[in-house]
Amino acid sequence: MNDPTRRILVGRIHGAFGVRGELKLESLTEPPGNLLRYQPWILRDAQGREREISGARARPGGKGLIGTIPGVEDRDVAEALRGAELYVTRGALPPPKDGEFYWIDLEGMRVANLEGVEFGTVAYVFSNGANDVLVVRGDRERMIPFARPDYVRELDFDSGRILVDWDADF
């Protein structure tokens, strides 16, 4: 599960800010300023082209960050990056503390309930505002609240299994 080359989406470019090539950045990290700690970025533009970016800088601004990327020095170049996504490899992230993990480390883990019914594997995890949710794909897609110990009873990273208290008919 813990593939150091696996890519993680950490941010997006929403367009130009001002006339000097600054960018409006959305950070998907917590806290948002951690986006800068995880470099180099792999920038994937709206056409799917990719390049590696190092040396980005940013400051808080409005609803996100205002940032600069080396080589982007005017509004037109910055605006052309609208919609680009920023990725890092899993290996660029610091190791989690004891008892902690990254959501991406859950992806691909097998999920079964207390009765032994296999549900499939974790496709991804998202937050709905109230709680985090495991999206499990197998014979069908299931959305299981990531609430420990209420629904998620065991996480076994060594065997790649998650045990849940969840009805197979849900």
Side-chain angles (χ1 to χ4, degrees):
M1 284 353 104
N2 192 349
D3 176 359
T5 64
R6 189 164 189 191
R7 292 181 177 185
I8 302 169
L9 180 66
V10 292
R12 292 185 185 90
I13 297 175
H14 287 295
F17 180 85
V19 296
R20 295 193 178 112
E22 290 184 303
L23 302 157
K24 294 182 216 172
L25 301 174
E26 173 190 7
S27 173
L28 301 175
T29 66
E30 188 59 45
N34 277 358
L35 176 66
L36 297 172
R37 295 175 65 192
Y38 312 131
Q39 293 190 50
W41 295 336
I42 301 161
L43 183 143
R44 180 183 298 157
D45 68 20
Q47 291 76 40
R49 295 178 301 236
E50 294 183 350
R51 64 182 170 157
E52 191 171 283
I53 304 289
S54 292
R57 301 174 62 103
R59 67 182 189 281
K63 295 181 181 178
L65 300 171
I66 305 301
T68 59
I69 293 176
V72 177
E73 297 175 6
D74 69 53
R75 183 175 182 83
D76 292 338
V77 175
E79 192 56 40
L81 291 173
R82 178 184 296 271
E85 296 177 325
L86 306 170
Y87 291 85
V88 296
T89 61
R90 171 65 177 83
L93 300 177
K97 296 175 185 160
D98 283 343
E100 294 183 354
F101 52 87
Y102 292 106
W103 280 0
I104 195 165
D105 295 336
L106 299 174
E107 292 177 12
M109 290 183 77
R110 296 179 320 278
V111 179
N113 72 3
L114 297 172
E115 289 77 39
V117 176
E118 295 284 336
F119 289 160
T121 59
V122 176
Y124 61 95
V125 183
F126 72 92
S127 177
N128 67 9
N131 54 278
D132 300 334
V133 178
L134 293 172
V135 178
V136 180
R137 291 191 180 137
D139 60 329
R140 62 185 177 90
E141 186 173 273
R142 290 179 172 86
M143 294 188 191
I144 302 171
F146 191 80
R148 294 167 62 184
D150 298 337
Y151 302 115
V152 175
R153 293 294 180 92
E154 280 182 30
L155 290 174
D156 186 343
F157 288 100
D158 293 331
S159 69
R161 291 185 57 85
I162 300 173
L163 183 65
V164 297
D165 186 356
W166 196 254
D167 191 300
D169 295 329
F170 263 36

